[in-house]
Amino acid sequence: MRLLQESLISPKTLARHRLLSIGVVMRYIFCWITIITVASFAHFALGFTGNESLQSIKEMMIASGMQWIVYPFAAIFLFVSNTLLIMSHISLLTAITMLIMRPFPFRIQYRQLWRTTALAMTIHYIAYSVAPFINDASMIVYIAAFIVTLGYSLRAAMHFPPARRNSVK
């Protein structure tokens, strides 16, 4: 809960969390993946989806007596696909931030920036949880969350310590 609050408050606290252990960061990420999976599964199970081919497959499996396999398979598939999507977004945002921050004199390591970006994606996680229930503006929500997260990552990277200068003797 503390990480959630601090990841929303300021990029300076995000920069301090770059030294957290990878286990704490992964637990935070997988808690959000579980929340997103539950929201996506509720969206699927309650039939809010506008994808008619997905609905027809669901109806076909229910009609053929295979209803028992639809929901467990959907839950597992959603968890795996959300994990893949979120991990790739974290890596992509980290790479973009590394490229943008290259000319600046900060000591930035990829692993520390990855942890910072994973925590900075809190707004992105919230958008992923809410977006399936928004029919018309879901793509706008994703893009806006991506841009805000990139801004948070860049601001947090500005608070990393400066690079050491090599003195020539």
Side-chain angles (χ1 to χ4, degrees), residues 22-38:
I22 192 69
V24 172
V25 176
M26 292 303 276
R27 186 174 51 213
Y28 181 78
I29 293 169
F30 276 102
C31 285
W32 274 109
I33 288 172
T34 304
I35 291 169
I36 292 166
T37 301
V38 167

Side-chain angles (χ1 to χ4, degrees), residues 100-108 157-158 160-165:
I100 293 173
M101 293 301 294
R102 185 164 294 210
F104 295 101
F106 295 105
R107 188 173 58 215
I108 298 176
M158 292 287 194
F160 277 32
R164 294 182 189 155
R165 296 185 186 267

